[in-house]
Amino acid sequence: MGDFAPTEGYAESGSAAAIALENLSHVYRNGRGAKNVDLRIGRGEVFGFLGPNGAGKTTLIRTLLGLIAPTGGRGQVLGLDIVGQSRELRRRVGYLPGEASLYDWLTGYQNVDFALRVRGVADRSRLKRLAGVLDVDLGRRLKTLSHGNRQKVAIIAALAHDPDLLILDEPTSGLDPLMQETFQNLMREENSRGKTIFLSSHIMGEVEALCDRVGVIRDGRMVAVDSVEHLRKQRMKYVTCEFAGSEPVPDLAAVAGVRDLQVSGQGRRFSFAFTGSLDSLVQSLAGRGLSDLTVTDPPLEEVFRAFYEQGGSR
Ligand code: ADP
């Protein structure tokens, strides 16, 4: 275990979870990094970790894998302490780094084989199966492969020992859209086999398609952790409305929570993004000859944009 004083209940909740972080930080000397992260990811969950470049995703991942030491807080991964048991932890986790550390002069097969030997795994059947699924020639030297094919080799190296927890930093970077879909199917299959998946991404569609819950990180802090469904529902609505007749239309630009207002239909049709109480919005619209009203959930992309533009207030 690490050198922190035990807190009641932490050890039990930590070992039952795939990932349990408590006030975990790794702050660089320049004040950047990952700060005071509390996070609990259950076994079998698919968790997406969203944030633009520089938000602190890689720092948090490297800290929870014990590759860099926390500057504060603590964590357990698969019940193992991220400081005191980090070697064992890394043996058991499948980690795909953002910048894969593969050996250029070795073939794809040799790279994956090496990763398996380090872990003492003799079985090569998954290696072969994954190479088939991802359609990559493992006989070629890494230096002759495209970025996308190198990424496939890195994915195979992360998965070939059949780990219970996959930690994937921007897994589909460099993969073409068809291969991104293949990758997503592979993740669904792994998850149906009980595997926990923690992936960082800036591709909303991917996170939306795969994840049960997402965490949004900004300036090193986790500013929201919620289900994809709930985030989309809660944060914002897309609204379109139209007014028939000749009565004056409401001044929507003045209604609190309305943004990106677009006007068409001779000034009688409006579309906008809305955050706030639907009840009070409907009251502002009523009694003016409202003839059409649609309210839809925005794509995750928009929710995410709002987090960054509006300062991420909940
Ligand atoms: P992300 O993975 O979300 O792109 P990173 O975790 O790589 O973000 O970086 C988070 C912040 O920490 C950035 O501002 C980055 O410049 C800074 N940073 C990353 N690595 C170091 C380092 N070794 N020393 C100092 N600052 C760093």
Side-chain angles (χ1 to χ4, degrees):
M1 296 300 289
D3 54 357
F4 44 75
T7 305
E8 206 179 326
Y10 173 73
E12 296 92 81
S13 75
S15 56
I19 297 177
L21 310 180
E22 206 178 82
N23 205 22
L24 186 69
S25 301
H26 180 96
V27 182
Y28 301 104
R29 285 184 184 181
N30 58 11
R32 321 264 325 175
K35 297 169 188 172
N36 307 100
V37 176
D38 284 309
L39 186 64
R40 191 179 189 285
I41 295 173
R43 302 217 181 202
E45 219 184 311
V46 184
F47 189 89
F49 186 32
L50 289 169
N53 284 339
K57 302 183 296 295
T58 301
T59 303
L60 183 64
I61 287 178
R62 289 176 58 79
T63 310
L64 68 84
L65 285 167
L67 291 166
I68 49 178
T71 55
R74 60 186 178 172
Q76 287 187 351
V77 170
L78 296 174
L80 299 167
D81 182 72
I82 63 171
V83 176
Q85 294 168 298
S86 70
R87 283 172 73 93
E88 168 66 8
L89 179 167
R90 284 196 297 276
R91 258 171 38 88
R92 300 213 6 226
V93 168
Y95 170 45
L96 175 72
E99 301 287 326
S101 47
L102 299 167
Y103 299 103
D104 260 350
W105 64 93
L106 298 181
T107 64
Y109 185 91
Q110 287 167 332
N111 266 284
V112 182
D113 183 66
F114 178 70
L116 287 172
R117 278 168 197 262
V118 168
R119 294 187 154 96
V121 177
D123 185 2
R124 298 291 178 269
S125 58
R126 269 183 64 76
L127 184 170
K128 289 178 186 137
R129 180 165 182 275
L130 289 165
V133 170
L134 293 173
D135 189 25
V136 57
D137 178 1
L138 289 181
R140 291 178 55 183
R141 285 185 196 281
L142 262 278
K143 63 181 174 197
T144 68
L145 295 183
S146 67
H147 180 60
N149 278 320
R150 291 172 66 97
Q151 184 68 1
K152 291 182 191 176
V153 174
I155 292 171
I156 297 170
L159 267 61
H161 62 294
D162 206 15
D164 287 338
L165 171 63
L166 306 175
I167 297 185
L168 313 167
D169 198 352
E170 303 274 353
T172 54
S173 85
L175 299 185
D176 61 50
L178 205 64
M179 203 33 79
Q180 289 182 10
E181 211 174 298
T182 305
F183 172 81
Q184 286 179 19
N185 289 333
L186 181 60
M187 289 301 105
R188 286 192 193 96
E189 188 185 312
E190 290 298 296
N191 184 236
S192 71
R193 296 174 62 230
K195 310 295 179 172
T196 309
I197 303 171
F198 180 88
L199 70 110
S200 86
S201 181
H202 60 265
I203 306 173
M204 305 296 147
E206 179 166 283
V207 169
E208 211 159 358
L210 279 178
C211 299
D212 309 313
R213 285 196 304 151
V214 298
V216 179
I217 190 166
R218 193 185 61 208
D219 296 334
R221 293 185 190 275
M222 203 68 100
V223 291
V225 177
D226 213 334
S227 71
V228 171
E229 190 68 17
H230 198 239
L231 262 184
R232 288 180 52 198
K233 280 206 186 317
Q234 231 198 2
R235 294 284 309 176
M236 197 204 303
K237 299 283 180 193
Y238 276 174
V239 182
T240 304
C241 58
E242 189 161 1
F243 298 87
S246 54
E247 279 182 71
V249 295
D251 181 9
L252 283 166
V255 174
V258 169
R259 56 183 213 110
D260 299 343
L261 182 64
Q262 289 180 24
V263 187
S264 58
Q266 278 113 39
R268 304 196 70 81
R269 188 173 176 80
F270 303 88
S271 0
F272 52 91
F274 180 72
T275 42
S277 148
L278 267 185
D279 197 42
S280 57
L281 175 68
V282 169
Q283 280 174 31
S284 323
L285 303 178
R288 308 287 186 101
L290 182 64
S291 59
D292 190 19
L293 175 65
T294 58
V295 180
T296 53
D297 292 328
L300 189 61
E301 182 106 38
E302 282 305 309
V303 177
F304 185 67
R305 191 162 70 92
F307 255 112
Y308 281 86
E309 284 177 355
Q310 297 167 6
S313 57
R314 281 186 193 236

